[in-house]
């Protein structure tokens, strides 16, 4: 059937095969055009790299290291790097596309929109193998980037993103040798999975390492309660530990071939155990705990002590400084960092508190430059970075504040305080 409306107008209705050949050509070209524009809308890939130092990038010779965090944006996750100079001063360098997407957890308690992943450790660094790894919570993948020896803020993706072995990955850990990574998933399909890192190739899944946490969860995760917080290796790398905000640590044994015990044991304690750090020289873990302040898990005796930080609301992150020998507990709710000293007998005290205005610090990491420690915090509420100079025990000072919002806007990089997550550092040896 051919319905000819006007012979002059070629765009008439006809069954394809019965149309005149030039009309088929026109129709075909139009189809192809619309198909192409549809494809380009759907697959509009974010730029691979966004420069953040367009006016003046620091010289390699002035750069001793770098700090890394993610935008964790659902439209495309970027790993952002900043150079660190020998005075511990940061300068944003670039943002590289992870070929993955970020995500934001669901918060029925409506405490606030910051801390999208309810986690510490969404970005990690291997000093030994010189790479950065990050989770992509929206695309359920992990990406690795090689760190450039001359400028550690300059990154190159290794291989392709790999599946996280579950849904909504939120934290990862890298072993000392830099040849093994494990990650924890906090979504509907939750639990851990491990990989071998091969230089130049990337991550290869390790057999018998996908293990469930058996949490009744959703994708994205609903939290912060009842979600995993951080994944960690014991110092001898024979145990894999995950803090769960349901009052326990989950502990798997790691077999010599890297596979994990089928089931995890639990170390109960705390209310909402969050970030994990071993107490140096002890088989004990100090965990921040937004339910109370912090907890100390004595792994040998399977006992836990809980400590209050008066006035705290959301003490979720922590770092350790060798320079001061103390722990720093980061509270986004009251924008405060509490410096905690732990004794040989695992008793502890708050030695000093630092208030950071309305910075709203979340993920943090220490950069040691010439034996001087700098605490670099992702100041989520201020959409920036806040750097503290440790200066020994109970003597930290605010060293630098950096705004990221204006910079990202000028560079056309999607970046929002509610999504920002992760912090890791690398210092050139
Ligand atoms: C999982 O959680 C949902 C929502 O809270 C609840 O309705 C459901 O009963 C839970 N399932 C199990 C097996 O506990
Ligand atoms: C620690 O003790 C609890 C009981 O309080 C027990 O359920 C758990 O299995 C113990 N964990 C280990 C690692 O022995
Ligand atoms: C976040 O910043 C806003 C102003 O930008 C401020 O009103 C609010 O109190 C801050 N929140 C925290 C937790 O510091």
């Amino acid at each position: 059937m051919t319905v000819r409306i006007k012979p002059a107008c070629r765009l008439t209705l006809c069954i394809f095969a019965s149309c005149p050949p030039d009309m088929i050509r026109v129709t075909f070209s139009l189809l192809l055009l619309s198909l192409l524009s549809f494809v380009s809308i759907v697959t509009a890939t974010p730029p691979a790299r966004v420069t953040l130092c367009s006016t003046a990038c620091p010289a390699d010779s002035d750069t001793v290291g770098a700090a890394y965090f993610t935008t964790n944006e659902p439209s495309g996750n970027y790993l952002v790097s900043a150079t660190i100079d020998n005075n511990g001063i940061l300068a944003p360098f670039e943002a590289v596309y992870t070929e993955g997407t970020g995500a934001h957890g669901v918060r029925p308690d409506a405490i606030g929109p910051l801390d999208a992943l309810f986690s510490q450790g969404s970005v990690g660094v291997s000093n030994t193998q010189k790479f950065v790894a990050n989770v992509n919570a929206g695309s359920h993948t992990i990406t690795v980037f090689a760190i450039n020896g001359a400028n550690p803020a300059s990154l190159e993706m290794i291989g392709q993103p790999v599946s996280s072995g579950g849904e909504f990955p939120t934290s990862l850990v890298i072993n000392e040798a830099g040849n093994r990574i494990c990650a924890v998933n906090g979504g509907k399909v939750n639990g851990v999975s491990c990989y071998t890192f091969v230089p130049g190739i990337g991550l290869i899944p390790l057999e018998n390492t996908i293990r469930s946490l058996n949490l009744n969860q959703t994708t994205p995760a609903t939290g912060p309660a009842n979600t995993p917080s951080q994944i960690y290796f014991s110092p001898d790398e024979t145990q894999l530990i995950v803090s769960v905000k349901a009052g326990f640590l989950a502990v798997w044994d790691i077999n010599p071939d890297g596979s994990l015990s089928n089931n995890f044991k639990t170390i109960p304690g705390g209310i909402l155990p969050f970030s994990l750090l071993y107490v140096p020289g002890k088989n004990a873990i100090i965990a921040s705990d937004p339910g109370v302040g912090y907890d100390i898990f004595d792994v040998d005796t399977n006992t836990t002590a809980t400590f209050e930080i008066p006035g705290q609301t959301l003490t979720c992150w922590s770092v350790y400084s060798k320079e001061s020998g103390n722990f720093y507990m980061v509270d986004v709710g009251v924008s405060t960092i509490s410096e905690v000293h732990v004794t040989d007998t695992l008793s502890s005290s708050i030695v000093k508190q630092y208030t950071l205005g309305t910075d709203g610090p979340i993920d943090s990491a220490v950069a040691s430059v010439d034996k001087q420690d700098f605490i670099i915090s992702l100041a989520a509420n201020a959409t920036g970075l806040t750097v503290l100079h440790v200066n020994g025990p109970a003597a930290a000072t605010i060293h630098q504040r950096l705004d990221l919002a204006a910079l990202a806007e000028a560079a056309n990089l999607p970046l929002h305080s509610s999504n920002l997550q992760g912090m890791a550092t690398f210092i050139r040896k």
Side-chain angles (χ1 to χ4, degrees):
M1 177 193 72
T2 300
V3 186
R4 291 228 151 179
I5 300 164
K6 254 193 222 165
C9 175
R10 291 305 194 172
L11 295 173
T12 52
L13 299 170
C14 57
I15 296 290
F16 211 76
S18 65
C19 296
D22 55 341
M23 188 151 75
I24 290 178
R25 244 187 337 263
V26 168
T27 315
F28 201 73
S29 314
L30 282 173
L31 262 175
L32 202 67
L33 260 176
S34 53
L35 188 72
L36 279 175
S37 57
F38 176 72
V39 165
S40 70
I41 286 166
V42 168
T43 63
T45 38
R49 205 171 285 275
V50 178
T51 300
L52 298 175
C53 52
S54 48
T55 48
C57 293
D60 290 359
S61 55
D62 290 338
T63 300
V64 299
Y68 317 94
F69 57 93
T70 61
T71 63
N72 186 34
E73 285 291 310
S75 62
N77 189 15
Y78 278 80
L79 187 67
V80 183
S81 68
T83 54
I84 303 174
D85 74 9
N86 57 7
N87 296 312
I89 296 289
L90 274 67
F93 184 76
E94 67 176 357
V96 285
Y97 182 42
T98 63
E99 293 183 26
T101 55
H104 200 294
V106 181
R107 301 190 70 130
D109 62 2
I111 286 175
L114 306 178
D115 182 27
L117 304 181
F118 316 124
S119 78
Q120 172 161 300
S122 54
V123 178
V125 157
S126 169
N127 286 287
T128 321
Q129 292 286 351
K130 299 189 177 62
F131 69 85
V132 191
N134 79 275
V135 298
N136 301 305
S139 48
H140 323 299
T141 56
I142 302 166
T143 325
V144 284
F145 294 89
I147 295 173
N148 183 312
N151 176 4
S154 175
L155 302 169
E156 212 61 61
M157 191 184 290
I158 309 172
Q160 289 293 304
V162 294
S163 162
S164 66
E167 292 175 358
F168 199 67
T170 58
S171 176
L172 58 83
V173 63
I174 305 169
N175 70 346
E176 197 56 40
N179 58 7
R180 190 165 299 161
I181 292 193
C182 296
V184 65
N185 293 285
K188 189 169 193 292
V189 184
N190 53 75
V192 298
S193 65
C194 300
Y195 307 82
T196 303
F197 172 79
V198 182
I201 301 221
L203 300 181
I204 298 168
L206 247 170
E207 268 180 46
N208 295 313
T209 61
I210 296 187
R211 297 289 184 261
S212 179
L213 269 168
N214 302 315
L215 298 173
N216 180 14
Q217 262 298 348
T218 54
T219 298
T222 303
N226 200 38
T227 61
S229 321
Q230 184 166 12
I231 187 164
Y232 219 60
F233 285 124
S234 61
D236 64 4
E237 297 178 0
T238 62
Q239 288 180 316
L240 184 66
I241 301 151
V242 172
S243 45
V244 182
K245 291 175 220 72
F248 69 93
L249 305 184
V251 184
W252 285 268
D253 291 323
I254 305 174
N255 300 314
D257 67 356
S259 64
L260 302 178
S261 55
N262 286 331
N263 300 307
F264 61 84
K265 291 186 198 126
T266 62
I267 303 181
I271 298 166
L272 303 166
F274 208 110
S275 60
L276 301 176
L277 286 166
Y278 265 84
V279 179
K282 300 274 161 200
N283 194 13
I285 295 167
I286 183 166
S288 63
D289 188 330
V292 59
Y294 60 98
D295 315 308
I296 298 181
F297 292 85
D298 186 330
V299 180
D300 281 336
T301 59
N302 188 12
T303 54
T304 307
T306 290
F307 300 88
E308 196 190 342
I309 298 179
Q312 77 87 34
T313 62
L314 293 165
T315 310
C316 301
W317 301 270
S318 56
V319 294
Y320 172 75
S321 162
K322 259 193 188 155
E323 189 193 343
S324 67
N326 290 334
F327 297 91
Y328 297 78
M329 300 283 156
V330 180
D331 184 338
V332 66
V334 291
S335 278
T336 298
I337 296 185
S338 300
E339 182 175 342
V340 171
H341 183 69
V342 179
T343 68
D344 260 5
T345 56
L346 299 182
S347 69
S348 77
S349 58
I350 298 168
V351 298
K352 181 133 184 183
Q353 288 187 304
Y354 308 93
T355 52
L356 304 183
T358 55
D359 289 3
I362 58 167
D363 297 81
S364 303
V366 168
S368 298
V369 181
D370 274 343
K371 298 201 170 103
Q372 295 193 73
D373 281 356
F374 298 92
I375 299 170
I376 301 163
S377 288
L378 193 51
N381 196 50
T383 324
L385 299 173
T386 302
V387 184
L388 264 67
H389 189 181
V390 168
N391 293 314
T397 50
I398 292 179
H399 190 60
Q400 187 187 11
R401 277 193 166 105
L402 250 172
D403 175 37
L404 294 170
L407 194 69
E409 198 178 344
N412 230 342
L413 175 73
L415 179 148
H416 299 95
S417 59
S418 53
N419 291 327
L420 284 175
Q421 199 88 68
M423 182 57 70
T425 56
F426 174 88
I427 298 294
R428 202 163 44 200
K429 289 287 176 291

